[in-house]
Amino acid sequence: MLARVWSAAILGIDAIQVGVEVDVSGGLPGITLVGLPDTAVQESRERVKAAIKNAGYAFPMRKIVINLTPADLRKEGPIFDLPISIGILAASEQVEPQLLGDHLFLGEVSLDGSLRPVSGVLPIAAAAQRLGMVGIVVPKDNAQEAALVKGLAVYGLSSITEVGEFLAHPEKYQPVIANPEMKWHESEFKLDLKDVKGQQHARRALEIAAAGGHNLIFVGPPGSGKTLLARRLPSILPNMNFDEALEVTRIHSVAGLLKGKGLISDRPFRSPHHSASGPSLVGGGSFPRPGEITLATNGVLFLDELTEFKRDVLEFLRQPLEDGFVSISRTRQSVTFPAQFTLVASTNPCQCGYYGDSVQPCTCTPRQREQYWAKLSGPLMDRIDLQVTVSRLKPEEMTRSSEGESSSDVKTRVQTSRKIQQNRFQQEVRVNCNAQMQSRHLRQWCKLDDNSRDLLEAAIKRLGLSARATDRILKVSRTIADLANSEPIQIVHVAEAVQYRTLDRVT
């Protein structure tokens, strides 16, 4: 007898429907599995055989052929254990097949027949709803994740036996109900800008970066507070809306990092070590998986000690920083991952770390300093909007007990500025903040008067700015004007934006 069970496979951060066709017929006992299965799927034959027996069913001692469609799509992971098990039981007439046509099944099975959670349930549930499926059957630990998708009946079950009972008597089971209301709260790290003493210039740059989604780099000697400042950026970023939170949750689901958390409401903060490889940063592998830049989508990617990263690894960031996504091509497939993040980096001014310091003398030669900065290419630095020098704190700043402005106060101004930008770009696609503006947006929203234009032209000549760097200045100027609640960009806004290009130099 032939049975078909619907499941799904992950491609990028989306899901594709997969049909699990099982034929149980005469012939020598054995299981043949076709349809480009990987090793984990091939191994499911032994897991499924033991699970069916230990769940109280009879494993058919006949020839079993299992076909995973479409045949040209590579199938990976243990996600197909449950649909294969149900397909074998349906083909051998041990479970009712009525619900198999409009329900989607997924889950890993243990040898005792229990169901274990799998990754990527949220995008699969979204695909099931999009395909018009009535419901989805998942392991109990994945139920709350799948229930985030509205309009889809989600059944979280704990074993193959329970799935069989559900197929026989669906009226006895109630769909899982999730509360999609998002409770906004402070980051779990409880970091606050009020802990930062002094550094008003750097604090101002942090506020501008948060308000406009601009990339930022801090340059300063060891102990000046670069990392301290960078780690507090998430505390002043605006709250995510539902669509942003859903996208972040989907990404973490595919990466296997959700761990039953439900909807993620905090903006991501990713801080990979400087020994990270290119694929770990941008994503990759035989079966492409999201990298750090995708996991940082709608949040912050923090690269501490930027010059310690390999130059070729940093060059991988150029295209995602410009486009907001990364495409990874393999022989059999090509996937696109989102990469709309704010880059925050920190580095010392030289190899010894004390060039320009007011207390500790620098021991580097000009040649060593030149080689040190050669690790960062011009095109990469062009893509960093705010280049900020962080100086050593003065003794009186280190010893005074007064607190700085809190993150909540700064966040209020940031959110006001973001609302202005949302209204400005409400008719645009994939443009939510000033940092994402393209050339046509600059012509429309970043018009300068004669005095501002003269100042900008002088800066271009003096600093040798590229066209991209000039556009970055205009975007930052627009954000500074928004923070000041000013519709026209004034000369003071341009002047402040220009001073954040401290690392530009004539090439």
Side-chain angles (χ1 to χ4, degrees):
M1 181 177 176
L2 175 66
R4 178 184 286 110
V5 182
W6 293 113
S7 189
I10 296 295
L11 183 62
I13 64 168
D14 296 315
I16 296 178
Q17 188 178 24
V18 171
V20 180
E21 300 175 338
V22 180
D23 178 69
V24 177
S25 59
L28 293 175
I31 302 177
T32 302
L33 184 57
V34 297
L36 283 183
D38 75 340
T39 303
V41 181
Q42 290 279 8
E43 291 176 347
S44 68
R45 293 178 296 185
E46 301 304 322
R47 288 195 301 271
V48 164
K49 185 176 181 179
I52 288 177
K53 290 180 178 179
N54 292 324
Y57 294 99
F59 188 83
M61 299 305 294
R62 302 169 69 184
K63 182 179 180 180
I64 301 174
V65 178
I66 302 170
N67 180 37
L68 305 179
T69 62
D72 60 346
L73 176 68
R74 189 76 175 176
K75 322 301 187 307
E76 60 172 322
I79 197 170
F80 301 106
D81 286 6
L82 178 59
I84 289 175
S85 301
I86 297 303
I88 292 175
L89 293 176
S92 58
E93 301 181 340
Q94 297 184 69
V95 298
E96 296 294 331
Q98 284 82 357
L99 299 180
L100 299 184
D102 54 12
H103 284 67
L104 192 145
F105 296 79
L106 58 102
E108 177 184 350
V109 299
S110 296
L111 298 185
D112 61 357
S114 61
L115 302 184
R116 295 173 53 82
V118 292
S119 302
V121 170
L122 182 56
I124 290 176
Q129 191 271 341
R130 186 175 63 252
L131 292 169
M133 290 286 182
V134 173
I136 181 172
V137 177
V138 300
K140 189 174 182 179
D141 290 342
N142 289 128
Q144 285 296 321
E145 178 184 345
L148 294 173
V149 178
K150 298 179 181 179
L152 182 70
V154 176
Y155 299 94
L157 306 179
S158 58
S159 66
I160 293 178
T161 303
E162 195 172 4
V163 175
E165 293 174 352
F166 164 73
L167 292 174
H169 304 285
E171 69 280 357
K172 295 182 179 180
Y173 292 83
Q174 294 297 321
V176 175
I177 299 176
N179 181 11
E181 294 296 326
M182 303 180 68
K183 296 180 179 179
W184 305 116
H185 51 81
E186 295 296 327
S187 170
E188 60 182 1
F189 298 106
K190 303 297 181 184
L191 302 179
D192 198 294
L193 269 179
K194 67 182 180 182
D195 301 327
V196 179
K197 297 180 179 180
Q199 305 295 5
Q200 294 304 316
H201 181 59
R203 290 170 62 101
R204 170 64 172 172
L206 211 60
E207 180 178 344
I208 295 171
H214 301 289
N215 301 320
L216 168 68
I217 183 171
F218 288 125
V219 182
S224 57
K226 305 184 296 295
T227 302
L228 187 75
L229 286 158
R231 290 190 176 277
R232 279 152 179 78
L233 178 57
S235 69
I236 62 174
L237 289 173
N239 296 330
M240 287 194 293
N241 57 38
F242 184 81
D243 290 338
E244 289 176 324
L246 197 60
E247 182 179 31
V248 171
T249 307
R250 287 175 61 195
I251 293 170
H252 282 69
S253 174
V254 171
L257 301 177
L258 203 54
K259 307 299 182 184
K261 293 179 181 178
L263 200 64
I264 296 176
S265 59
D266 284 331
R267 290 189 180 273
F269 183 88
R270 305 293 300 182
S271 180
H273 190 260
H274 59 75
S275 61
S277 64
S280 71
L281 203 61
V282 302
S286 301
F287 304 103
R289 283 288 182 263
E292 292 290 340
I293 63 174
T294 298
L295 294 171
T297 293
N298 295 327
V300 177
L301 177 68
F302 177 44
L303 302 183
D304 200 7
E305 303 297 342
L306 184 66
T307 51
E308 296 300 320
F309 285 80
K310 295 180 180 178
R311 181 184 172 112
D312 60 337
V313 171
L314 293 178
E315 292 303 294
F316 288 149
L317 294 175
R318 288 166 53 177
Q319 182 258 334
L321 283 173
E322 195 71 21
D323 299 334
F325 63 87
V326 57
S327 297
I328 300 175
S329 298
R330 293 294 180 265
T331 303
R332 292 186 177 272
Q333 61 183 355
S334 177
V335 298
T336 299
F337 292 117
Q340 196 67 66
F341 59 92
T342 298
L343 173 65
V344 179
S346 69
T347 186
N348 295 328
C350 64
Q351 187 171 335
C352 76
Y354 294 102
Y355 180 66
D357 186 50
S358 58
V359 177
Q360 184 78 19
C362 175
T363 59
C364 300
T365 64
R367 176 61 176 169
Q368 287 176 321
R369 288 194 291 270
E370 182 180 347
Q371 291 177 337
Y372 181 80
W373 282 104
K375 298 177 183 178
L376 306 179
S377 68
L380 176 63
M381 297 307 296
D382 270 354
R383 289 168 169 81
I384 300 180
D385 307 20
L386 304 167
Q387 304 167 356
V388 183
T389 299
V390 182
S391 304
R392 180 194 296 267
L393 288 176
K394 298 177 181 178
E396 58 270 21
E397 290 178 321
M398 288 188 284
T399 57
R400 68 185 182 185
S401 58
S402 59
E403 293 182 343
E405 191 175 20
S406 69
S407 291
S408 59
D409 293 337
V410 178
K411 185 174 182 177
T412 300
R413 295 196 296 270
V414 168
Q415 294 198 129
T416 300
S417 174
R418 283 293 182 106
K419 287 181 180 178
I420 294 174
Q421 296 168 50
Q422 289 171 3
N423 293 332
R424 177 182 299 139
F425 304 124
Q426 59 183 343
Q427 302 299 326
E428 301 290 341
V429 178
R430 299 185 69 249
V431 178
N432 302 307
C433 59
N434 291 334
Q436 298 171 2
M437 288 191 292
Q438 304 299 319
S439 297
R440 61 186 179 88
H441 303 123
L442 296 179
R443 292 192 296 269
Q444 182 178 0
W445 301 109
C446 298
K447 297 178 181 178
L448 303 179
D449 57 28
D450 291 340
N451 291 333
S452 299
R453 189 178 298 105
D454 291 341
L455 175 62
L456 182 56
E457 289 175 356
I460 294 172
K461 294 177 182 178
R462 183 181 182 89
L463 299 176
L465 298 176
S466 66
R468 182 182 289 112
T470 303
D471 288 347
R472 301 281 172 171
I473 290 177
L474 290 174
K475 294 177 184 180
V476 173
S477 300
R478 179 69 270 170
T479 299
I480 296 172
D482 290 341
L483 284 169
N485 199 23
S486 171
E487 179 57 33
I489 297 177
Q490 302 175 9
I491 190 171
V492 292
H493 305 145
V494 177
E496 183 177 0
V498 169
Q499 72 170 335
Y500 293 121
R501 305 298 304 185
T502 57
L503 301 182
D504 286 308
R505 51 193 181 275
V506 179
T507 56

